[in-house]
Amino acid sequence: MDYRKQEAYLRRGRLAGAVAITVLAVLSVLAAQGMTRWRADLAFSLVVVALGVSLFYTPDYLHLTTVGETRPRWAIKIRSRIAGAVLILGLLLATSAHGRIAALLAAVWLIGMMWLARRISPRWLPGLFLITDWLLIMPCMFHGGLPVLVTIATLASSVHLAVVICSRLYWQCAVVGLATGGLLLFMAWGHQFVPALPWAGWAMIAVAGFATAWLVSRAERHNAQNIVAAMAELTEFTGYSPDKVRQLWETSGRQLAENWTKAAIPENDRERMAEWYRLNSELYLFNISAYNLTYKRIMSNLRVIRFARGACLDYGAGNGEILLELARRGHPAVYFDVDGVTMRFARYRAQRQNLKVQFTVSKEQIREAAALHGFDTVFAFDVLEHMPDLPGELDFLSSLLRPGGVMVFDVPAGSTKAHPMHLNHNLNVFDYMGKKGLLDRRAFYLRIPFRNEEKYVFEVPR
């Protein structure tokens, strides 16, 4: 994967998303003219902000993937959050017992639709959610006193959420959403619920639907290009058919978890662990390949690549995704991993792209490379959680760095059902590295407390 192309795609997408959000903001201000109910204005503003954030982020998140189950899982998951927001905001902003009961019933309705969504085919989810949203909105608008501003924002959000989980029919879904949402507003017109500028509400629904459809369509096209490139490498290297590759993309993670559970390797048995990873390296080849095609991984790799300086070591380099990009950008690059299928694939990719990479399979070889030229940057991703002696690994890797060198790594927090091979390290990494004299050099986005990031950046003092 060429990460400069990924950067260019994401940059243009962010610009398009920013334009759509700006238009929504202007329309929301026009729709709110003359409205003075602060509770309605607050609820309206919160829904519009949530819609803008989702519009900016969600199309790429859902559509840059090889896993078809991502969209329906997300659709149901986001509904649980919406149900919680409806309940909390409804109870806080309601001015009567009738309003609080309405908020409670709305949350129950949304939870019930989540239950139903889990029991039908994913292809029907966009239609199910559109219909059930409007069945909820109509009585709330006409009989429950739902403010028209909140109605408009809710309709726009409903259309956005339906379009973003569609499979290929996003433009049609946007048209249906605009038509039916506009019909609801037209019905509200007769009840004098419309704002001073009724066209602004319809325009908000149109922007939410068609901007989402356009962002989704370009995300799917870009994802298809990424998949074609990855598929070409894998089919040529393995000799497998595209159908076989897709099957392994989908199932390799589950097979790895099952194989690890069956092996029942003690956490302190380094030799058996190393052998297990060698034997299962082909499954890791496909598991890593699928993960590298996801939005989350693309964004993560783009961020960590920016830390690279000078000569680089990738410890546990897998398919060579990060290291090959560093070599492409002119960094002296050293690869380390077990001698298995993933290493052979990385060698194949480096030769195919005419990239100069030094491959190592032991710590002795790494030390020899460090003695020749030292390392300015050491990367270690998705590897330290698999090793029993975390302090020893951190000592070894930090010892390879020159003064001013940077170590960038992650340590996911323990075993999970999906990743039972992750070991449970009880080590305060910040304290440990601080006592060694290394300086915390995380970027601002990694320091935000509520981010689910497990990445660390430490620098050796000069």
Side-chain angles (χ1 to χ4, degrees), residues 132-155:
T132 56
D133 284 350
W134 295 331
L135 290 176
L136 174 62
I137 291 169
M138 286 180 66
C140 289
M141 181 172 62
F142 293 117
H143 304 293
L146 184 69
V148 67
L149 283 179
V150 181
T151 300
I152 291 169
T154 304
L155 288 171

Side-chain angles (χ1 to χ4, degrees), residues 56-200:
F56 190 78
Y57 161 76
T58 302
D60 286 337
Y61 172 74
L62 291 184
H63 294 272
L64 297 186
T65 182
T66 61
V67 182
E69 300 172 355
T70 299
R71 287 193 291 276
R73 281 204 309 261
W74 180 87
I76 295 170
K77 181 179 179 180
I78 200 68
R79 291 279 156 170
S80 65
R81 298 180 180 180
I82 292 172
V86 166
L87 180 61
I88 293 171
L89 288 175
L91 294 177
L92 290 176
L93 300 178
T95 57
S96 65
H98 178 74
R100 287 186 281 274
I101 292 173
L104 178 60
L105 291 176
V108 170
W109 174 268
L110 290 169
I111 293 171
M113 292 309 103
M114 287 167 48
W115 177 87
L116 179 60
R118 290 190 176 95
R119 285 156 178 79
I120 66 172
S121 171
R123 64 184 296 190
W124 302 114
L125 290 186
L128 170 70
F129 287 139
L130 271 179
I131 292 170
T132 56
D133 284 350
W134 295 331
L135 290 176
L136 174 62
I137 291 169
M138 286 180 66
C140 289
M141 181 172 62
F142 293 117
H143 304 293
L146 184 69
V148 67
L149 283 179
V150 181
T151 300
I152 291 169
T154 304
L155 288 171
S157 299
S158 177
V159 173
H160 160 74
L161 293 173
V163 172
V164 84
I165 62 171
C166 274
S167 179
R168 297 185 178 87
L169 299 177
Y170 24 82
W171 293 105
Q172 294 90 328
C173 187
V175 171
V176 171
L178 176 61
T180 51
L183 178 62
L184 283 180
L185 288 184
F186 181 78
M187 293 167 62
W189 212 347
H191 288 73
Q192 297 181 348
F193 289 151
V194 294
L197 295 174
W199 61 265

